[in-house]
Amino acid sequence: MAVPCAVPEDGTIAGWQRTGRGLRRDKLLYIDQKNMFSFLVSFVASALLTLLVIKDARLHGPALDANFHGVQKVHAHSVARIGGLPIFLAVALSACISIWRVPAMTSWMMSLLCCSIIAFTGGIIEDYTGRVSALRRLLLTMVAALLGYYLLDARIDRIDWVFSAWPLPYLWLTLPLTILAVAGIANAVNIIDGFNGLASVVTICMLLSLAYVALQVNDMFVLVAALMVAGATAGFLIWNYPVGLIFLGDGGAYFIGFMLGELTLLLVMRNPQVSTWYAALLLIYPAFETLFSAYRRMFIRGKSPTMPDGIHLHSLIFRRVVQWAVGRKDARALMRRNSLTSPYLWMFSLMAVIPATVFWRHSWVLMCFCFLFVTSYVWLYVRIVRFKAPRWMIRHKKHS
């Protein structure tokens, strides 16, 4: 498959190839006039569609989250949990407009949307019916990753090290590794979706990082796609944070997570100058949260790794840090605690996203930051579990 690189004048694949990789000024002009347009279309469409979903009870009637007593429930009123529907529709609309403006992207964009529909379907059906198990949603996402392997050639075919790279030429190795990686990231985004704005802002930052690095290597397809998903997520965010008028839901989490994993894989694997450790560091917060949670449930608590609990890092910050500053008495305090929890995790995730974006080609630096992030995560988790949260995290309650 030919990779669209720079700005064609005729909108054809041949035009992409003739233009070359060296036109910096034209590339920047293209970003201003074309790619930011994709972001804005997705943002406006998502914001309007999300408002429509909130206002029209016929759209979210059976998809209300009215369970206030679950181990991971931190809201006090019924909320529609199908935020993924307007996000998906906004991305699809923006993709169609991008295809109309740049026909060379047709096969790439349509293939990506076809794969993402599978991951999205399992989540949105769960949002409406509550009858799709976590295992089935994971399997559907794995099928989507399998389809992406063949339609988009999205595969893990190397692992970079400090002075060399390890090629992975065998199908029996690259295929399962690719499927597990993409499906794992989609599931990880669903796991961190615990508070208003948490998963949305974290994934927006990651998608913008992808767009920046794609710009550096002239990968215009990944750039456009990442900006579309980021714009749609931002349009949803204005209604989700801070008051939580609508939730992302499983459909939204699996869709955004799949797109994030697939675009990261495409960017890194077809641009050898981008280190594979860029992907590892960029996605390390949701990925390590998932791995650490599975380890904690299986080996420390002796339970199934799929059983939900209320002791994720974001849950601990909510209960043992923010609660001290706000209190726990009424619904208004609960909403305020919810909105104050997410910024802690936004800042924490930026510890990985920012260095990944700056050092995207330097494997040894990225490896060091991965080690630093994991160490910091475990240290912070242990401190909070032992009721010894660092002083800088504690906001003292204001007395009226």
Side-chain angles (χ1 to χ4, degrees), residues 61 128-129 147 156 174 226 234 249 260 271 325 347:
Y128 273 102
T129 67
L147 193 61
I156 298 176
T174 60
L260 181 63
N271 297 284
M347 297 300 106

Side-chain angles (χ1 to χ4, degrees), residues 7 21-32 218:
V7 187
R21 290 179 174 264
L23 304 180
R24 285 283 175 176
R25 185 172 61 184
D26 289 346
K27 181 180 69 175
L28 292 175
L29 181 62
Y30 181 63
I31 297 305
D32 292 338
N218 281 4

Side-chain angles (χ1 to χ4, degrees), residues 38-50 90 93 231-232 234-235 238-239:
S38 299
F39 179 93
L40 291 174
V41 168
S42 287
F43 174 82
V44 173
S46 178
L48 294 177
L49 288 170
T50 303
L93 174 63
I238 63 175
W239 304 109

Side-chain angles (χ1 to χ4, degrees), residues 178-199:
T178 299
I179 292 174
L180 289 175
V182 175
I185 290 301
N187 186 64
V189 170
N190 189 48
I191 285 178
I192 66 169
D193 180 31
F195 294 91
N196 296 341
L198 175 51

Side-chain angles (χ1 to χ4, degrees), residues 35-53 86-87 89-91 93-94 97 227-239:
N35 298 332
M36 293 311 298
F37 177 80
S38 299
F39 179 93
L40 291 174
V41 168
S42 287
F43 174 82
V44 173
S46 178
L48 294 177
L49 288 170
T50 303
L51 179 60
L52 176 63
V53 169
I87 291 175
L89 293 176
V91 170
L93 174 63
S94 183
I97 294 175
L227 288 176
M228 286 193 313
V229 181
T233 308
F236 157 83
L237 179 66
I238 63 175
W239 304 109

